[in-house]
Amino acid sequence: MRIWFLLALLLAFLPLSASEKPPSAAIASAHPLATQAGFDVLEAGGNAFDAAVAVTAALAVVEPYGSGLGGGGFWLLHRASDGFETMLDGRERAPLAADRNMYLDEKGQIIKNLSLNGPLAAGIPGVPAAMAHLADHYGKLPLKQSLSSAIRYADQGVAVGDSYRRMAAFRLNALRDSTDASAIFLQRGAVPDENFVLKQPELAKTLKVIADQGEKGFYQGIVGKKLVEGVRQAGGIWTLDDLQKYQVIERKPVYGYYKGTKIVSAAPPSSGGVALVTMLNILSGYDLDALEAVQKKHFVIEAMRRAYRDRALYLGDSDFIDVPLEQLTSRLYAAGLRASIHPEKATPSSMLSGNVYENPGFHTTHFSVLDKDGNRVSATLSINYPFGAAFVVPGTGVLLNDEMDDFSAKPSEPNIYGLVGGEANAIAPGKRPLSSMTPTFLENDQGVAILGTPGGSRIITMVLLAALDFMEGNRPESWVELKRYHHQYLPDKVQHEVDAFNQSSLESLKLAGHSFKQLNRTYGNMQAILWDLKNNQVEAASDPRGEGLAEVR
Ligand code: GLY
């Protein structure tokens, strides 16, 4: 009797394992209507993967400056029934007629804006194929049902918020250059006013064709034909062959372990998971909890510097180049990097061999989903720059990405964000450009975290700071609110939000040799979920910097 009592007591205090079911579902996304679209599907009997289709499609309609049918992304999946994990790589591919020098003039100089604006900047989109793949292989509901909210939003129209107007102002000139983009996203050629309702009937039609025919509805048939004709008439190089050959690839996620926490994150062609694991491996050699805040920040910055140096040197599409994945994510390798860190002095980036640039953007989008069976999705999607290439293909409503700018147009030349890329990320036909998107799961005996954020090259360091916060026992509200700082090897500066450092930390770190650049705006839009295994409760948070909605139901 006594034994049974003790056993019952012990069980009561043991944390649940992730094989148990969560008490509620949760969705966090960058737009309330996208979060609602996900719940509509869950409430209709769909699972987290169906909800991911619904949120992906809804974001394409209601947050067109961040992602869309004309873009790509990475969907990290965890299936509860058997613990299977995979990453859907729906990243854009370079067209088959692409050439490593396609953005250079006859003197070998980069032609400004050619990889940013207009259809020559666009890779072959992956979002429609990824939605169909999710529905066919992992979901329970037909695409028709999962896409219905997005179709309604596109048909009936949605009110736009301040972020939309800010992004439209930022991309005004480029949007004006595309007749269809201007007609859809602007109001009489200007930034829309507060009462503007964004209606996208042609996008609704394209979504309906995908709902009826699956991915063929986008990559073949009438829509495929219109896409190729529209792109080519405006100077692009897409062919029907490009569209027909596009394939989603399932890749093994990148795994790491940090003091009892399992990290599951994005594999190449994203640099996100590799750099995150490298940084955590470096930091695992320090007792960060016991250190003063300023000392801890010094080590974190030095870990960032080294991981971003490697990103630039070694990372690219692993179907085209050999990525030394095992080395970059090994503890032994990280120990070597750690040994090069002086505990009190910054290492000038010029003293680390390598030559690279990276770009901190403010585009892209992220969402996280947990369903009541414990299935999870962490997805980061992009069309690259705000409003992508600012080009809508006539008759389709599809806004194209400018993800070709994520390649190194000229190895060792910085792109629009000042990022330098290496040979590993040079343009080649059919290749996927290197990404920083870092959809991530973290798991320890306290809980399961599902998180990610937009933000160009700063994505990875935002996820790192949130991961460290999770491991300190803090909650999603704290992860998304953290004041952010970032080092990307080159330029050799710690970029940071206001108040990321107090005055005395700033002075100490400057004395240690760090240089700082305070940004004049905040960055990131993290969407996060915690399934607290100890108390079996679910929490979710949406970044206060954005207009998103996190809900637990
Ligand atoms: N276009 C942003 C990224 O993939 O990192």
Side-chain angles (χ1 to χ4, degrees):
M1 185 68 184
R2 216 168 131 179
I3 286 258
W4 286 115
F5 175 74
L6 286 174
L7 204 59
L9 205 65
L10 187 69
L11 283 175
F13 284 96
L14 273 181
L16 295 163
S17 88
S19 57
E20 309 287 328
K21 294 191 175 189
S24 338
I27 302 178
S29 90
H31 199 289
L33 290 175
T35 299
Q36 183 55 48
F39 275 114
D40 288 346
V41 158
L42 290 182
E43 282 155 16
N47 60 18
F49 312 118
D50 296 305
V53 174
V55 178
T56 298
L59 286 169
V61 176
V62 301
E63 199 202 26
Y65 51 86
S67 68
L69 296 190
F74 300 109
W75 292 254
L76 191 64
L77 315 182
H78 173 97
R79 188 169 57 203
S81 58
D82 57 0
F84 173 73
E85 286 174 333
T86 189
M87 182 189 88
L88 295 197
D89 170 359
R91 181 74 163 158
E92 299 88 337
R93 289 177 83 199
L96 295 168
D99 174 272
R100 64 178 277 135
N101 297 326
M102 65 190 278
Y103 300 117
L104 305 183
D105 65 17
E106 60 284 357
K107 290 193 184 120
Q109 300 305 314
I110 290 179
I111 305 169
K112 210 167 161 251
N113 290 337
L114 210 54
S115 60
L116 275 183
N117 302 335
L120 196 60
I124 307 304
V127 163
M131 291 194 306
H133 189 98
L134 262 172
D136 290 351
H137 296 263
Y138 298 98
K140 298 203 291 194
L141 300 181
L143 267 180
K144 229 186 182 84
Q145 198 165 351
S146 306
L147 297 183
S148 64
S149 298
I151 293 170
R152 195 174 69 249
Y153 297 155
D155 256 337
Q156 295 177 358
V158 293
V160 301
D162 287 345
S163 300
Y164 179 99
R165 278 191 296 279
R166 213 174 40 247
M167 297 299 175
F170 179 68
R171 295 290 274 147
L172 187 59
N173 289 337
L175 286 166
R176 280 178 175 154
D177 285 346
S178 159
T179 312
D180 287 62
S182 177
I184 297 167
F185 299 118
L186 302 178
Q187 202 175 13
R188 294 179 294 278
V191 175
D193 62 34
E194 286 184 5
N195 302 318
F196 181 69
V197 173
L198 172 64
K199 289 195 176 164
Q200 302 178 79
E202 286 188 330
L203 184 61
K205 263 198 244 157
T206 298
L207 280 163
K208 282 178 202 160
V209 183
I210 298 172
D212 287 338
Q213 300 174 19
E215 69 177 278
K216 281 197 191 133
F218 183 87
Y219 296 91
Q220 300 178 26
I222 307 266
V223 174
K225 204 158 161 275
K226 279 189 188 165
L227 287 171
V228 170
E229 276 171 14
V231 161
R232 293 185 79 85
Q233 268 166 21
I237 54 174
W238 290 13
T239 61
L240 280 174
D241 202 28
D242 274 315
L243 292 181
Q244 278 165 18
K245 286 203 168 119
Y246 185 85
Q247 274 188 335
V248 169
I249 301 173
E250 288 210 18
R251 299 191 191 270
K252 184 173 166 244
V254 165
Y255 287 93
Y257 292 88
Y258 177 88
K259 300 183 182 179
T261 297
K262 176 174 147 193
I263 297 115
V264 188
S265 193
S270 179
S271 56
V274 177
L276 179 65
V277 168
T278 304
M279 291 187 286
L280 287 168
N281 280 344
I282 294 173
L283 293 171
S284 69
Y286 305 111
D287 186 1
L288 292 185
D289 293 343
L291 296 177
E292 290 205 16
V294 63
Q295 179 72 67
K296 175 175 162 180
K297 283 181 171 155
H298 168 70
F299 287 138
V300 171
I301 293 164
E302 291 302 315
M304 290 173 175
R305 183 198 307 280
R306 283 157 178 78
Y308 275 76
R309 192 281 304 254
D310 284 358
R311 177 197 191 277
L313 274 182
Y314 301 120
L315 290 176
D317 182 347
S318 50
D319 291 343
F320 283 72
I321 55 147
D322 282 333
V323 175
L325 205 59
E326 267 188 40
Q327 171 189 331
L328 295 174
T329 55
S330 93
R331 285 162 180 271
L332 208 61
Y333 176 68
L337 294 177
R338 191 186 316 119
S340 71
I341 298 177
H342 190 294
E344 284 154 15
K345 292 274 168 226
T347 313
S349 289
S350 56
M351 281 180 65
L352 300 172
S353 63
N355 181 24
V356 281
Y357 333 124
E358 269 298 326
N359 86 44
F362 47 93
H363 38 62
T364 308
T365 195
H366 179 87
F367 68 86
S368 297
V369 184
L370 173 72
D371 71 18
K372 282 188 185 165
D373 285 323
N375 296 307
R376 314 169 204 154
V377 180
S378 181
T380 312
L381 319 176
S382 183
I383 49 170
N384 198 26
Y385 223 35
F387 287 97
F391 178 83
V392 171
V393 182
T396 66
V398 176
L399 175 65
L400 298 188
N401 70 84
D402 55 359
E403 220 74 63
M404 292 295 285
D405 193 65
D406 274 350
F407 279 118
S408 325
K410 182 177 177 189
S412 300
E413 283 283 317
N415 69 0
I416 186 76
Y417 309 103
L419 272 180
V420 184
E423 200 51 48
N425 189 31
I427 302 172
K431 191 174 174 185
R432 284 152 146 94
L434 184 61
S435 169
S436 299
M437 294 191 276
T438 316
T440 296
F441 303 139
L442 305 166
E443 195 171 335
N444 60 25
D445 59 2
Q446 307 291 305
V448 173
I450 308 168
L451 73 162
T453 178
S457 61
R458 298 191 191 114
I459 290 175
I460 317 170
T461 56
M462 286 186 258
V463 174
L464 171 72
L465 297 179
L468 293 171
D469 203 43
F470 162 75
M471 292 185 256
E472 279 174 24
N474 293 317
R475 326 293 294 181
E477 292 281 352
S478 166
W479 319 338
V480 301
E481 274 177 22
L482 285 176
K483 299 289 178 209
R484 294 167 176 151
Y485 59 96
H486 168 80
H487 197 294
Q488 59 179 34
Y489 174 58
L490 290 175
D492 190 352
K493 282 200 184 311
V494 182
Q495 305 169 19
H496 64 96
E497 293 184 325
V498 178
D499 295 336
F501 299 91
N502 62 28
Q503 204 48 38
S504 90
S505 298
L506 212 52
E507 276 157 23
S508 306
L509 289 164
K510 279 184 185 165
L511 276 178
H514 293 285
S515 305
F516 289 84
K517 181 180 176 197
Q518 182 177 302
L519 301 167
N520 54 14
R521 20 169 319 130
T522 59
Y523 62 90
N525 193 7
M526 185 168 282
Q527 310 297 329
I529 294 173
L530 171 68
W531 174 13
D532 173 343
L533 296 175
K534 251 192 153 167
N535 302 303
N536 199 26
Q537 68 190 35
V538 175
E539 294 172 27
S542 182
D543 201 314
R545 296 161 185 82
E547 296 165 2
L549 176 68
E551 256 193 29
V552 175
R553 288 192 202 168

